[in-house]
Amino acid sequence: MHAPCRFAGCQSQNDIITFLPNILILFLCLALLEDSGYMARVAYVMEGIMSKLGLSGKAFIPMLLGFGCTVPAIMASRALENKRDRFKVMLVTPFMSCNARLTIYILFSEMFFPDNAMVVAYSMYLLGLVVAIVISAVIHLLDRKKSTNYLLIELPEYKLPDAHTVAIYVWEKVKDYLEKAGTTIFLATLIIWALLNFGPHGFSTDMTASFGAVIGKWITPFFVPIGLGFWQIAVALIAGISAKEVVVSSCAVLFGIVNASSPEGMTAFSSALAGIGFGSLNALCLMVFCLLYIPCAASLATIRKETNSWKWMFFSAAFQLAVAWVVTFVVYHIGLAIL
């Protein structure tokens, strides 16, 4: 097996920038909804539905923001007066598919479901919403200290969004996204590069003798029942905890792919994956698992800050990992039965 690209960190930045237009559109839509005054009305409209889940209508706003980024969504839970409601929202909000996961959906849906790429990619958004609703309903049923929520909210007048305000909002969000790509993602990619180029016997050009391979093979049995029993995928998923975008760049590094987002890169990437027995069902399982498993490090740090509890942060991570494993297990075995 060939050694990974020596400049994988730089390559990861090219892949992230390639997906920037999709991220830009997502933030633009959120900005238009917020500045038009519609966001507050969403809370009012959703009060009836959310109350059945034991939450205030205001809880819908953090969940909606979660489609942009989990970090501000978790911070937005401050709008909830009840502490227990805040904790519930912080537990289920990471199931909303943030913009970082979109890079994963686009790449793998294009490679393995070219005729239905859009449907497959955006079905992940629906799945995340369904899982969040189901988990919220279960928590409400099991909660012995149910609280009564009363919605008190000021409804601003409808107005045309201000171009200047929208531009500032989108610019700040996009800038944060790019800054993360230039810091956290770059650092994580370098760490992965080191893990793949150094092993127990020092520097090695053979990835199978690297620390990354050792770690990946050690945890592979955990992923076998959910259709992800490949050490390369296991290593990429671990790297994805730093930032979900890293899953794409890590996979590219692991398989020695240059510019994975280009047509040529996708062809080489899919061929490399096919070589290890990774097919369309495995790709679907990977997208589902990436949707639901442990949120990024920034989100975990925000949960720790908002709850002031290391225990709750680790519980959230473990809970989301368990939910991701169970849901992916169901998807994989249903897929096996159908195929």
Side-chain angles (χ1 to χ4, degrees), residues 107-228:
L107 181 65
F108 284 92
S109 61
E110 283 287 348
M111 286 196 300
F112 291 93
F113 307 95
D115 296 330
N116 300 287
M118 182 178 293
V119 175
V120 173
Y122 286 99
S123 68
M124 295 296 109
Y125 286 82
L126 179 60
L127 177 60
L129 183 60
V130 169
V131 170
I133 291 174
V134 171
I135 295 298
S136 298
V138 172
I139 293 175
H140 181 55
L141 290 174
L142 299 178
D143 189 4
R144 297 182 180 180
K145 298 181 180 179
K146 295 180 174 64
S147 58
T148 302
N149 295 294
Y150 299 97
L151 180 64
L152 182 62
I153 189 171
E154 179 182 355
L155 296 179
E157 294 182 359
Y158 278 122
K159 64 183 182 70
L160 289 174
D162 180 71
H164 181 67
T165 303
V166 170
I168 292 176
Y169 178 93
V170 174
W171 165 246
E172 290 296 328
K173 296 298 183 182
V174 171
K175 184 175 69 172
D176 289 343
Y177 175 80
L178 293 176
E179 286 177 350
K180 184 164 67 170
T183 55
T184 305
I185 300 174
F186 182 72
L187 178 61
T189 305
L190 289 180
I191 293 174
I192 292 296
W193 178 88
L195 287 174
L196 296 176
N197 283 271
F198 292 89
H201 304 292
F203 181 81
S204 174
T205 57
D206 183 4
M207 282 195 294
T208 59
S210 67
F211 285 121
V214 173
I215 297 173
K217 291 173 182 177
W218 182 68
I219 65 172
T220 293
F222 173 81
F223 293 102
V224 170
I226 61 175
L228 300 175

Side-chain angles (χ1 to χ4, degrees), residues 40-102:
R41 285 170 171 76
V42 169
Y44 175 76
V45 171
M46 295 301 298
E47 172 66 14
I49 297 176
M50 299 302 289
S51 62
K52 291 180 173 58
L53 303 177
L55 296 171
S56 165
K58 291 182 180 180
F60 184 76
I61 297 176
M63 294 176 70
L64 183 61
L65 291 175
F67 287 112
C69 180
T70 305
V71 172
I74 292 173
M75 295 177 68
S77 65
R78 297 175 184 176
L80 300 173
E81 294 81 6
N82 189 289
K83 182 178 178 181
R84 293 177 66 81
D85 286 348
R86 288 192 64 200
F87 277 47
K88 290 178 185 177
V89 170
M90 282 187 276
L91 191 63
V92 301
T93 295
F95 292 131
M96 301 294 101
S97 188
C98 68
N99 69 80
R101 296 178 173 96
L102 182 59

